[in-house]
Amino acid sequence: MAQTLSFKDTIVIRARPDVLFRLTLDPKRRTRWDPNIRLATYAGEEKLISGSLVNIKLERRLLGLSYTAKYGQIQAPFRGGWEAVKPFGPLEKYTQGWVFKNIPGGTEVTLSTNATIRYKFIEKQIEAQLRNMSGRTLIELQRAVDQQGAQLMEDTAKQYQDKMRAEKEAARRKGKKQRAAK
């Protein structure tokens, strides 16, 4: 039975929605900054409109998988996305959607990922890989337009991870002491 996965990641970037829209959805621009995509080209007419097809090849660390995606929900400069037209690799279905909300000081960017994983035995690995891709894509998008903001986000995420590790370790030690006292 296929496992359906759906999640969203949101980040605030100091840039206008129209700039971010073009950077994320235009295949030629996307390959310049997104470390997950090795190659992306239009399949046919080079227009960023609903129904256009794009050929995408992922990086080697993502098994170098290739797929064709169809644009949908294009409402420049506020939303857009694509859906794989047929299954590829371990994914039965795959969609990626972007929403750009204009806020004071920048744009709130939300990246939505939806996937149906074909094989149960690799469910957790594929989910981890997709979540990693999403986070890395957002940080690299921010870096493409705002180097300082991206560094701040990375530092904050690292501090949060360190804090969570320390809390987990403290809880483990406390539990160990309580078990030893019994």
Side-chain angles (χ1 to χ4, degrees):
M1 180 160 147
Q3 169 66 29
T4 302
L5 172 68
S6 185
F7 62 91
K8 294 180 181 187
D9 291 313
T10 301
I11 189 172
V12 175
I13 299 178
R14 292 186 305 201
R16 295 187 330 261
D18 60 319
V19 170
L20 297 170
F21 178 86
R22 285 190 305 275
L23 276 173
T24 57
L25 293 165
D26 181 349
K28 292 177 183 175
R29 294 177 192 207
R30 180 79 176 258
T31 56
R32 291 183 196 149
W33 61 266
D34 190 336
N36 300 309
I37 298 176
R38 183 186 319 167
L39 186 64
T41 56
Y42 284 102
E45 192 174 0
E46 294 189 11
K47 281 194 172 181
L48 183 52
I49 57 172
S50 291
S52 291
L53 296 176
V54 120
N55 293 318
I56 298 170
K57 182 162 183 72
L58 300 174
E59 280 297 331
R60 282 187 185 98
R61 66 182 166 70
L62 300 169
L63 307 176
L65 295 172
S66 297
Y67 64 98
T68 300
K70 181 178 177 180
Y71 282 113
Q73 308 169 2
I74 300 290
Q75 294 175 353
F78 301 108
R79 73 173 51 244
W82 63 51
E83 177 177 3
V85 295
K86 62 183 182 181
F88 68 98
L91 299 177
E92 185 71 32
K93 292 183 180 178
Y94 178 69
T95 63
Q96 190 177 79
W98 293 86
V99 175
F100 307 96
K101 183 178 175 188
N102 205 354
I103 61 170
T107 302
E108 181 181 88
V109 179
T110 301
L111 172 56
S112 302
T113 302
N114 297 297
T116 303
I117 303 167
R118 288 196 225 191
Y119 314 110
K120 189 164 181 63
F121 71 94
I122 57 169
E123 218 171 84
K124 295 212 182 302
Q125 295 91 333
I126 298 301
E127 179 178 357
Q129 192 76 316
L130 290 173
R131 288 183 184 275
N132 185 27
M133 280 176 60
S134 179
R136 190 165 182 196
T137 295
L138 287 171
I139 286 177
E140 291 303 324
L141 173 61
Q142 182 160 30
R143 184 171 280 124
V145 294
D146 178 12
Q147 184 67 37
Q148 284 180 315
Q151 190 60 51
L152 177 62
M153 285 297 294
E154 236 174 302
D155 293 346
T156 303
K158 186 174 179 354
Q159 287 171 355
Y160 178 75
Q161 285 177 335
D162 292 345
K163 178 183 171 192
M164 294 307 287
R165 256 188 232 116
E167 287 176 4
K168 191 174 181 179
E169 181 63 23
R172 188 183 67 77
R173 283 190 196 131
K174 184 178 178 182
K176 209 175 194 179
K177 283 182 183 178
Q178 287 174 348
R179 284 190 300 275
K182 289 180 181 178

